[in-house]
Amino acid sequence: MQTMLTFDVLLFASYADAAGSSSIRVTVPPGAAVQDVLDAVRVAAPALSLPTRPLVAVNHRYAKADVAVAAGDELALIPPVAGG
Amino acid sequence: MQTMLTFDVLLFASYADAAGSSSIRVTVPPGAAVQDVLDAVRVAAPALSLPTRPLVAVNHRYAKADVAVAAGDELALIPPVAGG
Amino acid sequence: MRTALVGKPIDVAAIAAEVVSPEDGALSLFIGTVRNSNQGRAVDAIEYNVYAPMAEREMTALAHEAAAQFGTSHIVIEHRTGYVALGEASVAIAVAHPHRANAMDASRWIIEALKTRVPIWKLEHYTDGTREWVEHGQVPHA
Amino acid sequence: MRTALVGKPIDVAAIAAEVVSPEDGALSLFIGTVRNSNQGRAVDAIEYNVYAPMAEREMTALAHEAAAQFGTSHIVIEHRTGYVALGEASVAIAVAHPHRANAMDASRWIIEALKTRVPIWKLEHYTDGTREWVEHGQVPHA
């Protein structure tokens, strides 16, 4: 039996405000993808009320929902950006 | 009989170089238009070899060939501009 | 080519001097500045929240993509972090090229792409003491 | 709004500071610079010949037309006269506006119109000692 994966998913701006934290810890089974992490975040932080398809970054790159995650990955939820 | 009109038509850049002067004196009859001035310039300075329809300014504004000229007007021939 | 997140005021003249090479005939500079109102509300300052390592990666990627598309590596992008006062520059994009169309096209492409992709967020501080996250697509912006 | 023919180096930072007002969120700057070659010939310097009173009149007219068309009077145009050395700015166009699209559209409109209408001519001095008047439409240019 493989070890579960634990991530501290980074939050920014309005997401961090809504969650009251700059990260949220989630645990997903081995072989999980971005979508599984999102589902776990929704359960762990219902106050966050994420949009249907929030942007996610894996290791500083935008990643689709079916991208696999691995131990040590840096995961972040990206609210609609507003630089400039 | 009315007095003839005399102008020192201003020349710039390649026109001044071709004419060997920064202005050229022409005399046209009363009631003359820009086109008459141009014709007189061609006679007075054949070395200038003007294009068929050179740009002309009357009192610092571009003027068409049929614009009347009057004593005291500042006339200039404008080579293709190249600012910037 | 250089991109940077900066905590101090942006030096426009220094960037202009840095980006122009002897073969360039044109420099296009876009500067975003903090304006005193948005959606009719009086603004005091903007606080930029940045996901720094990813923002740096995306800014570098933008510069490389623009270089390939517009034919110049003479590109500098700087974006402020933290509090930025009224009238100060929040972002500067400088592109130099032998010809003006490429320089202008490139700087415009970069600012539009930056506002779509680079993970930076702005918290507007209003003169009435309230604050709000600005989200593009939700409100008009500069 | 200000337009000027200038005999000294253009101060880009001063123009940027001058043109931006508190309500502006965007500044678009276009700078033309003297490049080291044109049509494959090595250039030493450019000498600008200007029909000054008409050039001033046309530059002012351009600024007013741009103000009406793009909705901002925050416009500065400076053009050098006489000799301009390699790498120096020959022209600077600065437009500030609450929103970036207008600022960028206006500065681009102005440089294109300036190159069509303002009576200024450039004499290129080449490193081989020869000189030639550049005429738009005849040769590519920045």
Side-chain angles (χ1 to χ4, degrees):
Chain A
M1 177 179 148
Q2 291 180 272
T3 319
M4 297 288 278
L5 298 169
T6 297
F7 298 99
D8 289 316
V9 179
L10 301 178
L11 303 176
F12 297 92
S14 57
Y15 289 178
D17 281 1
S21 169
S22 63
S23 71
I24 186 130
R25 177 161 297 186
V26 296
T27 299
V28 292
V34 163
Q35 185 61 55
D36 303 304
V37 174
L38 281 174
D39 294 342
V41 169
R42 284 185 218 275
V43 171
L48 189 44
S49 62
L50 289 174
T52 314
R53 272 185 262 270
L55 290 172
V56 178
V58 176
N59 298 328
H60 312 143
R61 291 169 187 263
Y62 290 107
K64 293 190 175 163
D66 60 357
V67 167
V69 293
D73 281 350
E74 180 172 309
L75 303 185
L77 296 184
I78 309 292
V81 304
Chain B
M1 177 180 146
Q2 292 180 272
T3 320
M4 297 288 277
L5 298 169
T6 297
F7 298 99
D8 288 317
V9 180
L10 301 178
L11 304 176
F12 297 92
S14 56
Y15 290 178
D17 280 2
S21 169
S22 63
S23 71
I24 187 132
R25 178 161 294 188
V26 296
T27 299
V28 292
V34 162
Q35 185 61 55
D36 302 304
V37 174
L38 281 174
D39 294 343
V41 168
R42 284 185 217 274
V43 171
L48 189 43
S49 62
L50 289 174
T52 314
R53 272 184 263 271
L55 290 172
V56 179
V58 177
N59 298 328
H60 311 143
R61 290 168 188 265
Y62 290 107
K64 293 191 176 164
D66 60 357
V67 167
V69 295
D73 282 349
E74 181 172 311
L75 303 186
L77 296 185
I78 310 291
V81 303
Chain C
M1 188 186 296
R2 186 176 63 80
T3 66
L5 295 169
V6 296
K8 294 183 299 185
I10 290 172
D11 185 339
V12 173
I15 291 175
E18 172 186 355
V19 79
V20 176
S21 285
E23 66 268 32
D24 294 321
L27 164 62
S28 178
L29 265 166
F30 175 80
I31 314 285
T33 55
V34 175
R35 59 197 172 102
N36 63 4
S37 73
N38 189 20
Q39 298 276 87
R41 300 177 71 181
V43 173
D44 247 358
I46 288 182
E47 186 183 349
Y48 284 94
N49 184 209
V50 177
Y51 181 17
M54 183 173 173
E56 284 170 351
R57 199 198 153 276
E58 284 290 328
M59 287 165 72
T60 303
L62 283 183
H64 280 280
E65 290 170 35
Q69 188 171 341
F70 300 100
T72 178
S73 61
H74 302 160
I75 297 173
V76 172
I77 308 173
E78 288 195 1
H79 200 296
R80 288 287 298 275
T81 60
Y83 281 88
V84 183
L86 282 191
E88 285 190 2
S90 53
V91 63
I93 293 164
V95 181
H97 192 281
H99 301 290
R100 70 183 182 281
N102 298 53
M104 291 187 282
D105 288 346
S107 65
R108 191 161 194 154
W109 183 88
I110 292 171
I111 183 62
E112 300 301 335
L114 182 149
K115 285 175 174 274
T116 308
R117 289 169 42 181
V118 180
I120 298 177
W121 302 272
K122 57 174 111 175
L123 184 64
E124 283 186 340
H125 291 246
Y126 306 102
T127 54
D128 63 9
T130 62
R131 318 186 296 177
E132 205 163 287
W133 291 104
V134 176
E135 295 193 349
H136 286 182
Q138 297 186 328
V139 293
H141 56 274
Chain D
M1 187 185 297
R2 184 175 65 79
T3 66
L5 294 169
V6 297
K8 293 183 302 186
I10 290 173
D11 184 339
V12 172
I15 290 175
E18 171 187 355
V19 79
V20 175
S21 286
E23 66 268 31
D24 294 322
L27 163 62
S28 178
L29 265 166
F30 175 80
I31 314 286
T33 54
V34 175
R35 59 197 171 101
N36 63 4
S37 73
N38 190 18
Q39 298 277 88
R41 298 177 73 181
V43 173
D44 245 359
I46 288 181
E47 185 182 349
Y48 284 94
N49 184 209
V50 178
Y51 181 17
M54 182 172 175
E56 283 170 352
R57 197 197 155 276
E58 284 290 328
M59 287 165 72
T60 303
L62 283 183
H64 281 280
E65 289 169 37
Q69 189 171 340
F70 300 100
T72 179
S73 61
H74 302 161
I75 298 172
V76 171
I77 308 173
E78 289 194 359
H79 200 296
R80 289 286 298 275
T81 59
Y83 281 88
V84 183
L86 281 193
E88 286 190 1
S90 54
V91 62
I93 293 165
V95 181
H97 191 283
H99 301 289
R100 68 182 182 283
N102 299 53
M104 290 187 282
D105 288 346
S107 66
R108 190 161 195 154
W109 183 88
I110 292 170
I111 183 62
E112 300 300 335
L114 182 148
K115 284 175 175 276
T116 307
R117 289 167 42 180
V118 180
I120 298 177
W121 302 272
K122 57 174 112 175
L123 184 63
E124 283 186 339
H125 291 246
Y126 305 102
T127 52
D128 63 8
T130 61
R131 318 185 297 176
E132 206 164 286
W133 291 104
V134 176
E135 296 194 349
H136 287 183
Q138 297 187 327
V139 291
H141 56 277

